Amino acid sequence: MAHPLHAVVVGAGPAGSSAASVLAAGGWRVTLVDRARFPRDKACGDVVGPAAIAELARRGVTLEASWPRIADIVIGAGGRSAVLPGTPGVAHPGEGRVVPRLVFDELLRSRALDAGARWREGRVEAVRYGSDGVVVRLGDDELRAAVVVAADGALSQVARSAGLRDDSVALWGFALRCYVDDAEVAEDRVDLFRTEPGVASYGWVFRGPRGVANVGVGVGVGSARSRVRDLRALLERYLNARGLRPSGAPLGGWLRMGARGTVAARGRVLAAGDAAGLVNPLQGEGIGAAIASGARVGELLLELGPTRAGAAWRGEFAERWLPFLRGAALVHEVALRAPRLTDWAVARVVSLSARSQAVARGFGAWANGLVR
């Protein structure tokens, strides 16, 4: 007999597919909804970092060794650079893997479908709370569920409709990424460099599968998304400075960082991943937190049911993620308000990291959210 409880998971990225996998494997009826036709690409750095690798391993997923390894991070500013070495921790390995999101997200979605989740392609327009569940409006159709998981990204329509997001106090960023064929880029590392003095931004470059480099720039804009301007020109200048030529058109996407302006749950709607603002304000990474949060939402629903899981998730969210995110968000805001001071501070960190392995390891672990 089918389980009477029905969950609708909106968004088939790492957070949504992880939640759907856990719930379906636990016997729930699950409908996984996404507006995109999969497999689909996404603007992202494509690095599945140490935290994400550890979360996947805990859930029985091992990435193939053929995917390029990423260990060290090289940070640079003001003409100087320093290596932040990849160091294993108690709960994570000392390296990540480069897996294009076109492949990685499809791997996780397929895993959810194999566990028993039902697939539905379509755009969720709104949700409304009912007396005994949640109603999801999907075009001309409606889905009725005991609970809804909002995992539909930084601009989550579900979170907006359910009252889980306040954009006026959000901490926004925007990233623009392109690929470069046959690039002469060092293997096994990510280069992160301040793009231009006085601009709250950074650029990255690293080598991916088949020698294709992933290159991009990210900017912080605080709570005003209208401040994003001339990002293509910034990317072009960054590419020129590195002597690289893009192989195709760039792809961009919003980042909702530091859990600012988000509520983890309200009633029978629980948010995970980017929809909950679980993006690192220091470097824009969110895959590890997306996998962990989506899976944990699924586990709490199995354990506590749709009426009690939300309150438990709010408590765990505050205890596990908010301490780091609040501090990192404060650093990010200082960078926005005082970019010249930030230029000096970053140059100082680079200088200290170049002289001290202890500083380099410690700063690398903290900036990447690997310290609890």
Side-chain angles (χ1 to χ4, degrees):
M1 178 183 295
H3 197 290
L5 291 176
H6 178 211
V8 172
V9 180
V10 184
S17 290
S18 296
S21 290
V22 170
L23 287 168
W28 279 39
R29 292 186 297 121
V30 180
T31 301
L32 179 59
V33 181
D34 200 290
R35 65 184 182 179
R37 178 163 296 177
F38 276 65
R40 63 96 176 92
D41 199 4
K42 186 173 182 181
C44 179
D46 293 341
V47 173
V48 183
I53 295 288
E55 286 295 338
L56 290 171
R58 279 192 280 272
R59 303 178 195 288
V61 180
T62 302
L63 297 181
E64 296 179 9
S66 60
W67 293 112
R69 171 180 177 271
I70 286 289
D72 300 341
I73 297 175
V74 177
I75 57 173
R80 300 192 63 182
S81 63
V83 178
L84 309 181
T87 306
V90 173
H92 61 80
E95 64 180 32
R97 296 282 172 181
V98 182
V99 188
R101 291 294 294 273
L102 189 71
V103 176
F104 183 69
D105 286 16
E106 177 61 11
L107 182 154
L108 296 184
R109 185 187 76 106
S110 296
R111 186 168 177 266
L113 301 186
D114 290 344
R118 184 173 65 122
W119 173 247
R120 182 73 180 270
E121 184 182 317
R123 183 186 296 271
V124 173
E125 298 176 356
V127 299
R128 70 175 187 271
Y129 298 100
S131 58
D132 59 349
V134 187
V135 179
V136 180
R137 194 168 80 238
L138 187 65
D140 296 331
D141 195 10
E142 287 188 341
L143 301 177
R144 298 180 180 274
V147 68
V148 170
V149 178
D152 47 336
L155 302 178
S156 172
Q157 180 60 31
V158 175
R160 180 195 291 276
S161 182
L164 300 182
R165 55 181 274 200
D166 180 358
D167 291 352
S168 67
V169 295
L171 189 61
W172 293 103
F174 194 87
L176 195 62
R177 178 269 287 160
C178 67
Y179 289 122
V180 177
D181 292 337
D182 302 319
E184 294 184 6
V185 175
E187 298 181 3
D188 300 343
R189 79 183 205 194
V190 175
D191 289 354
L192 289 178
F193 289 90
R194 291 281 285 173
T195 53
E196 297 175 355
V199 179
S201 64
Y202 70 96
W204 71 81
V205 59
F206 57 88
R207 188 179 180 89
R210 299 177 299 280
V212 177
N214 184 309
V215 188
V217 294
V219 297
V221 295
S223 60
R225 286 193 283 153
S226 60
R227 291 178 187 164
V228 172
R229 297 187 183 94
D230 302 324
L231 203 55
R232 281 179 178 264
L234 182 64
L235 175 60
E236 188 173 319
R237 291 194 296 272
Y238 184 69
L239 285 162
N240 289 338
R242 308 285 297 189
L244 300 171
R245 297 179 65 85
S247 307
L251 188 63
W254 288 102
L255 305 172
R256 190 183 189 97
M257 300 177 287
R260 286 286 180 87
T262 61
V263 178
R266 178 165 286 146
R268 296 188 181 205
V269 179
L270 290 73
D274 289 13
L278 287 175
V279 173
N280 187 333
L282 300 177
Q283 36 79 312
E285 194 276 335
I287 292 178
I291 295 169
S293 62
R296 188 56 185 152
V297 163
E299 291 167 350
L300 287 172
L301 285 167
L302 292 179
E303 179 184 347
L304 301 174
T307 60
R308 294 192 296 146
W313 176 231
R314 286 195 300 272
E316 287 199 17
F317 188 90
E319 181 179 350
R320 178 171 180 178
W321 277 288
L322 287 188
F324 168 74
L325 290 175
R326 282 173 174 163
L330 180 60
V331 172
H332 184 103
E333 286 190 323
V334 170
L336 290 174
R337 298 184 183 190
R340 299 291 180 183
L341 175 62
T342 303
D343 288 341
W344 175 86
V346 171
R348 185 65 177 157
V349 168
V350 171
S351 178
L352 290 172
S353 297
R355 297 200 306 263
S356 169
Q357 279 287 294
V359 171
R361 292 179 188 277
F363 178 74
W366 173 73
N368 288 292
L370 299 175
V371 176
R372 294 223 183 140

